[in-house]
Amino acid sequence: MTGLVVVDRLEDWPDPPAGVTVMTAADYLTDDRHAGGGRRRVYNLCDSYRYQSAGYYVSLLAGARGHQPLPDITTVQDLKGRDGPRVFRAETDDLVQTSLAPLESDTYELDVFFGRSHAKRHARLARALFNLFPAPLLRARFKRGQRWEIIGLSAIALDDVAPGQRAFMQAAASDYFAGKRPTRKRVKRARYDLAILHNPAEKEPPSDPKALKLFRHAAEDLGFGVEFLERSDFGRLLEFDALFIRETTAVNHHTYRFARRAAQDDLVVIDDPDSILRCTNKVWLAQRMTRAGVPTPQTLILHRGNLKDVAEQIGFPCVLKQPDSAFSRGVVKIDDEAELRRVARELLERSDLLVVQAFVPTEYDWRIGVLGGQPLYACRYFMAPSHWQIIKRDEAGKQEGDAETLPIDAVPTRVLDVAMKAAATVGKGLYGVDLKQFGKRVALIEVNDNPSIDAGVEDQVLGNDLYRIVMQHMLDRLDERTRRQ
């Protein structure tokens, strides 16, 4: 397996170990030669993993390309979340007290390089940190009150490694590159209570109040105990055995933290954190779908250096997409090069990469609901009046096109085939696969986690059975988990 160290500047790692190649993040992200598969381990040593920075995209796209990144994108998110120290505290409190007890000062910083500490007495503590948050370079900050407490946890840059520890860091990296890799701990629990996460104040929730009640009734009919949770109930999450998220998801958001915490403690969860990460970033979807051979409109990953390629490779009009756009927001129809430069300049302030696709006008979009690898429902969403999207927003407010739900056996075979392949490429969760059909051609637009399921729309064909199927799926997964224990 090829080892690849990705840095911001080549001089950051001038003397790599044998068998390891060093390249810049810019080259890894923009050179098509690195977009293919193959067995590669990618060690992401960029200075920052800030959301939608180059370092963030190295880990995100390494996963999309079938490479093995360190850190992976879930760890990147964990390290940025406020609950990271709390998770670490819950898992390792006894070890922290034992390891730090001999210290005379009331504060301490522990640097961890590829799972190792320069201070041998903290070797077990360093390994525990790395097991929970596998990233190349970590720093944990501790403070002593009545007991030692972790007060900060973060990834650090190569420049932050103290000169006296650089040789040790290089040795730890060489050992890790050679194959010495700890594994992440998992905690298992077994209960049959379901939490449904929602936000009563959300203006465009994935399920309306009536649909939420129908989900609850279906779950209770199957023997679940059901409670609705809100953002402030994070501390109660581990009282439940399963989590069903019916609030619009995002990566830098409490919905992702709920999903990550649930998955970490072996709860059955929809939407799972991997699906949230993948579906909420159109750059990942574009790269992954291309690699999987899923047909899409002509697509280009856009960055500051290739704006001039849009006219030749995509043409106008085209559609420019912010990677984490949702509900038709952050998606702009571009008519000419001047508009492209203006809009792209604004969007590139928030994300180092964007997606641009050929504009494909159609009367409606297909949405195929997929659950656990099986088709669940099929809808045709028609464009809003005098608009190119199914939702139109302007000064007058919001307008939506009509929706029509069809039996699965009424869906054209090609539409269903592309939808199922796209969903399988993302995972085995609950997805809404959006496609366009023009003539005999079918093209994927995107795969959504947390798809809309509203009473009177997506349930037009199945009725209450739709809600029962979803809850039965969660119950089956719980039973399977119980058998494994």
Side-chain angles (χ1 to χ4, degrees), residues 7-77:
V7 293
D8 289 305
R9 302 158 296 273
L10 290 178
E11 57 267 27
D12 289 343
W13 198 287
D15 188 24
V20 173
T21 301
V22 178
M23 74 170 49
T24 66
D27 284 343
Y28 182 75
L29 294 174
T30 63
D31 192 329
D32 290 342
R33 289 176 298 176
H34 307 304
R39 291 174 57 78
R40 301 184 191 176
R41 286 196 173 96
V42 176
Y43 306 103
N44 182 358
L45 295 177
C46 292
D47 290 346
S48 173
Y49 303 142
R50 176 181 54 81
Y51 182 53
Q52 295 190 346
S53 66
Y56 178 91
Y57 276 115
V58 167
S59 287
L60 183 75
L61 295 193
R65 293 168 177 177
H67 303 166
Q68 295 185 8
L70 183 80
D72 63 21
I73 196 64
T74 57
T75 301
V76 169
Q77 291 301 130

Side-chain angles (χ1 to χ4, degrees), residues 77-78 81-88 133 234 257 260-261:
Q77 291 301 130
D78 287 348
R82 295 179 181 177
D83 57 329
R86 186 190 58 77
V87 171
F88 178 75
F133 303 95
F234 184 83
R257 293 193 292 273
R260 280 296 302 146
R261 186 56 171 151

Side-chain angles (χ1 to χ4, degrees), residues 443-456:
L444 173 76
I445 301 302
E446 61 191 29
V447 181
N448 303 278
D449 71 305
N450 203 248
S452 298
I453 299 179
D454 284 324

Side-chain angles (χ1 to χ4, degrees), residues 296 302 378:
T296 64
L302 196 67

Side-chain angles (χ1 to χ4, degrees), residues 320-386:
L320 185 61
K321 299 181 178 182
Q322 189 174 310
D324 53 359
S325 56
F327 293 110
S328 301
R329 292 191 177 96
V331 179
V332 184
K333 182 168 171 275
I334 303 295
D335 291 320
D336 54 44
E337 195 156 357
E339 186 179 15
L340 172 68
R341 288 195 298 269
R342 178 179 59 81
V343 177
R345 188 182 303 115
E346 178 184 341
L347 295 182
L348 285 168
E349 291 298 318
R350 298 196 289 270
S351 173
D352 287 343
L353 299 177
L354 305 173
V355 173
V356 61
Q357 289 185 322
F359 175 60
V360 183
T362 56
E363 182 183 1
Y364 58 83
D365 286 350
W366 281 102
R367 163 73 63 85
I368 306 299
V370 180
L371 175 64
Q374 298 297 319
L376 179 62
Y377 62 85
C379 289
R380 294 195 297 187
Y381 299 124
F382 290 82
M383 301 302 145
S386 303

Side-chain angles (χ1 to χ4, degrees), residues 297-313:
Q298 185 68 28
T299 300
L300 178 67
I301 305 301
L302 196 67
H303 51 85
R304 289 176 177 82
N306 68 344
L307 290 177
K308 64 182 184 301
D309 296 338
V310 174
E312 180 180 346
Q313 296 187 28

